Amino acid sequence: MISIQLTFDDGPGPSTARLLDVLQHARFTATFFVLGKHAQVQPALLRRMAEDGHVIGNHTWSHARDGELSDQRLKDDIAATDRLIREAFEKAGVASPERIPLRLPYGAQEGDTRLRVLASLGRSHVGWTSLFDDWVRPAPNVDRLVGAMRAHMADQIHRNEDAVLCLHDASPTAEEREATVDAVERWLSLRVY
Ligand SMILES: [Zn+2]
């Protein structure tokens, strides 16, 4: 039996509260790779992620690309975001995990210098088995998004490999992602997981 993980990057944002409602209703736990700059202004949402049993991952503070920050600045950004995540667990009265998973903005490319920084911190990059174009403008068609999620699941089941779906509950500029929430709600209602 393969495991199926839903991961959400770039939040918390305006669509995150509804996404948490949808997940809670389906009793499904996910991983949120949050941006420190958004977490700082949405502490209640971060706390709710912890209370609801979700994994909170680090997506750095500012969503910088490879080469945009000095190594030290990237380390500081990661540490500041870790602090907010641990604070959320503390406020929720939930034990903070020993290791906070980390996903680099834009993913880890070949020769990505940020990987060297992660290695020096003893951290690794958490990737995905499929991205979905849920960040496009105008917002994607919900049926197509659900179809793509289902098709990826079918592929992974066929290969007998775990599935890590990468979706977005916000953006670096904290845009809403209502189509993503609608797609997740429909996908969960189909009980294909
Ligand atoms: Zn991102």
Side-chain angles (χ1 to χ4, degrees), residues 128-165:
W128 51 76
T129 56
S130 187
L131 279 168
F132 300 90
D133 292 343
D134 62 329
W135 62 82
V136 295
R137 260 182 244 119
N141 175 283
V142 174
D143 289 332
R144 281 231 301 276
L145 201 48
V146 175
M149 290 169 74
R150 296 190 69 180
H152 179 59
M153 299 295 314
D155 278 354
Q156 295 305 97
I157 288 166
H158 183 70
R159 294 187 194 131
N160 202 30
E161 284 176 13
D162 291 344
V164 182
L165 284 67

Side-chain angles (χ1 to χ4, degrees), residues 114-136:
R114 298 172 301 175
L115 290 173
R116 194 184 60 218
V117 174
L118 293 199
S120 76
L121 297 170
R123 310 274 288 257
S124 50
H125 167 75
V126 179
W128 51 76
T129 56
S130 187
L131 279 168
F132 300 90
D133 292 343
D134 62 329
W135 62 82
V136 295

Side-chain angles (χ1 to χ4, degrees), residues 11-13 16-17 20-21 32 34 36 38-52 54 56 84-85 87-89 91-92:
T16 305
L20 286 166
D21 290 343
F32 288 88
V34 300
H38 293 342
Q40 186 181 39
V41 295
Q42 298 273 17
L45 285 173
L46 219 63
R47 179 181 166 165
R48 183 172 167 201
M49 288 172 190
E51 284 169 350
D52 289 358
H54 299 295
I56 309 178
L84 290 180
I85 293 169
E87 234 171 74
F89 278 106
K91 284 189 197 137

Side-chain angles (χ1 to χ4, degrees), residues 9-10 59 63 105-106 168:
D9 294 2
D10 300 346
H59 197 44
H63 212 270
Y106 309 102
H168 297 79

